[in-house]
Amino acid sequence: MGDPAAEGGHVDAIRVMVVDDHPIWREGVARDLGERGCDVVATAPDAPAAVRIATAVRPDVVLMDLNLGAVSGVTAIGEITAALPETQVLVLSASGEHADVLEACKAGALGYLVKSAGAEELLDAVERTARGVPVFTPGLAGLVLGEYRRLAEGPAPARDEPAVPALTERETEVLRLVAKGLTARQIASKLVVSHRTVESHVQNTLRKLQLHNRSQLVRYAIEQGLAD
């Protein structure tokens, strides 16, 4: 998904897949998103079907429940994000348990909402997720941030381990703003540079860090304490 074109070009609707084992809830969410401009390209009732269908239709965003029966949604998240690095996963679950949130994020989910979220809040979350911006129900973002920081702490790398490639001052500045949830156009405006320059810095940073997408970039920034 790209940012809306400033030149007035056509902007494609966000392609969404809804995964939930309750058919009434699943179809209701799909209908609400469709009525608000999203292109709901598929739905799925369980984890195996979610992986199979997502791989075929390649949505921008997978809206994923966790309690899906025999196979957990966490398993599906891991398989989908591994197979489709450009697809973002947003969890929509009845559970707000810390363990569930952390497992989902470790598996590759970019955000996590509880099902008490309203229709407009959900639409906003889907739109932000499609842009690679992490979205969490209030109170859960700090939990995830704290866990990433805890995991980032550990013994110093051995002397013979290759060092992480150094980022330039501007690349670090852009990375910090990406981690704060700003779009490329917002970053360009803030730094008074072109949109293409920002995208170039993002791509250079991804290449240097050997990462594949913005969600991995955000996680790296959190681990390095750049999201403060």
Side-chain angles (χ1 to χ4, degrees), residues 145-212:
L145 175 60
E147 179 67 5
Y148 278 131
R149 284 179 173 166
R150 186 188 69 78
L151 292 174
E153 295 174 354
R159 291 182 181 273
D160 57 352
E161 288 186 4
V164 175
L167 302 179
T168 67
E169 182 177 346
R170 180 47 64 92
E171 287 168 350
T172 301
E173 189 174 17
V174 169
L175 177 57
R176 189 186 301 274
L177 294 173
V178 168
K180 290 180 180 294
L182 274 68
T183 67
R185 292 190 183 281
Q186 289 171 331
I187 294 172
S189 176
K190 187 176 184 67
L191 299 182
V192 197
V193 297
S194 72
H195 172 260
R196 290 184 182 275
T197 297
V198 172
E199 290 291 357
S200 177
H201 286 312
V202 170
Q203 292 304 315
N204 287 341
T205 302
L206 286 170
R207 177 179 51 78
K208 285 184 177 182
L209 300 177
Q210 297 185 350
L211 302 176
H212 302 292

Side-chain angles (χ1 to χ4, degrees), residues 47-48 51 64 66 68 70-81 103-104 107:
V51 175
M64 175 76 69
L66 295 184
L68 296 173
V71 182
S72 168
V74 171
T75 300
I77 292 169
E79 294 185 21
I80 290 171
T81 55
E103 282 187 10

Side-chain angles (χ1 to χ4, degrees), residues 17-101:
M17 176 177 171
V18 180
V19 183
D20 198 289
D21 63 339
H22 293 287
I24 294 177
W25 177 272
R26 183 174 66 244
E27 298 307 323
V29 170
R31 183 179 61 252
D32 285 347
L33 290 175
E35 290 174 350
R36 287 165 171 79
C38 293
D39 180 11
V40 180
V41 294
T43 64
D46 55 45
V51 175
R52 184 178 66 254
I53 297 171
T55 303
V57 303
R58 307 178 76 87
D60 299 315
V61 176
V62 175
L63 195 59
M64 175 76 69
D65 191 14
L66 295 184
N67 185 11
L68 296 173
V71 182
S72 168
V74 171
T75 300
I77 292 169
E79 294 185 21
I80 290 171
T81 55
L84 303 171
E86 295 306 314
T87 293
Q88 305 291 1
V89 177
L90 172 64
V91 173
L92 181 63
S93 173
S95 171
E97 293 295 324
H98 290 182
D100 290 335
V101 178

Side-chain angles (χ1 to χ4, degrees), residues 207-227:
R207 177 179 51 78
K208 285 184 177 182
L209 300 177
Q210 297 185 350
L211 302 176
H212 302 292
N213 53 48
R214 285 182 180 243
S215 61
Q216 293 179 351
L217 201 60
V218 169
R219 291 191 183 97
Y220 174 84
I222 290 173
E223 292 171 358
Q224 300 302 313
L226 298 176

